[in-house]
Amino acid sequence: MRGLLQFTMDLFEGLGSEFAPQPPAPPKRAKKPKPPALPPVAVAPPAPLTQEDRDAPPAVPLSDTLTLANLVHPQATREVVLGSARVAYEFKRGKRKTIGFLVGAEGLSVRAPRWVALRDVDAAIREKADWILRKLTETQQRHARVEATRIDWKDGAEFPFMGEPVVIQLDPKHGFASVGGTLDAAEGDGPRTLRLAVAQNAEPSQIRDAAQAWLMRQARRLFIERLDHFAPRLGVSWQKLSLSNAATRWGSASADGSIRLNWRLIHFGLPVIDYVVAHELAHLRVMDHSHRFWETVESVVPDYDVLRQKLKDEAVPRWS
């Protein structure tokens, strides 16, 4: 319609143009004088880079600061841009022969020999960029999952026990025969109830400590049962069990038969617990992670690789 309207207006303007008076010609404007040419400005050559300049972390363009993802280690001393991410990493030198990388919960840590130049460190980081970014992303995602499982310690709080949800019910009137709590049978499809002998007005830390004490007792009982189950099948003998609360390790084994297992394994289902128990007992036969070691684990836990990945992927509740 707009095109048609414009065509009509043009058509009528054309029809009346020969009868319309011609508009006066616009007055000629005086030409402005050209400004005088400026003398050429001498530009000094750039100053040579100092050693400090060469060793400084690469600059981040201002336009990128609005879009770059920030992956910052709390003890970061250097940074580098990898793809669309600014990675600030912890850097330390030590007595080692190669440059080492560690991606943990806090971020990227880099270790290098004392004789390696910083430019070579940055080059090694860029060479490993894909691996570093992938691991940092996986760690961030895992941290987000863990944060989502943070327990709000109160009546009705929920957490997994042997792979199944359990709901806390504060029941201060019950004695529980000095064990601090009891786990009721499930009703229908709902979760089981853990009744704790804790006052209704108890502090969150008191509820947490009571739940942890109950879980640790269950963990010790179950771990001993599974150690006794797998040890004869592996032809080994364990001597001592200790419960740990390590942040990054689920278990360990010593040549003297001592076994350490993280009590928070009790959150996982029995197949995952069995994998960790068998893993540590297998170390009493093979004290490394060689092909022979994994064959030993496989002899009693055939699907250990699936369970191992499940242990990595599943987020256990955050207690702190």
Side-chain angles (χ1 to χ4, degrees), residues 31 48 82 91 106 116 122 125 184 188 202 216 229 231 269 272:
K31 293 183 179 181
L82 302 178
F91 177 69
E106 294 184 321
V116 173
D122 286 339
I125 292 174
D184 294 340
M216 291 181 73
H229 172 77
V272 174

Side-chain angles (χ1 to χ4, degrees), residues 137-146 311-315:
T137 301
E138 290 174 356
T139 302
Q140 280 192 332
Q141 291 173 347
R142 180 176 178 82
H143 179 72
R145 292 197 302 270
V146 171
L311 185 65
K312 293 179 179 180
D313 292 341
E314 287 193 10

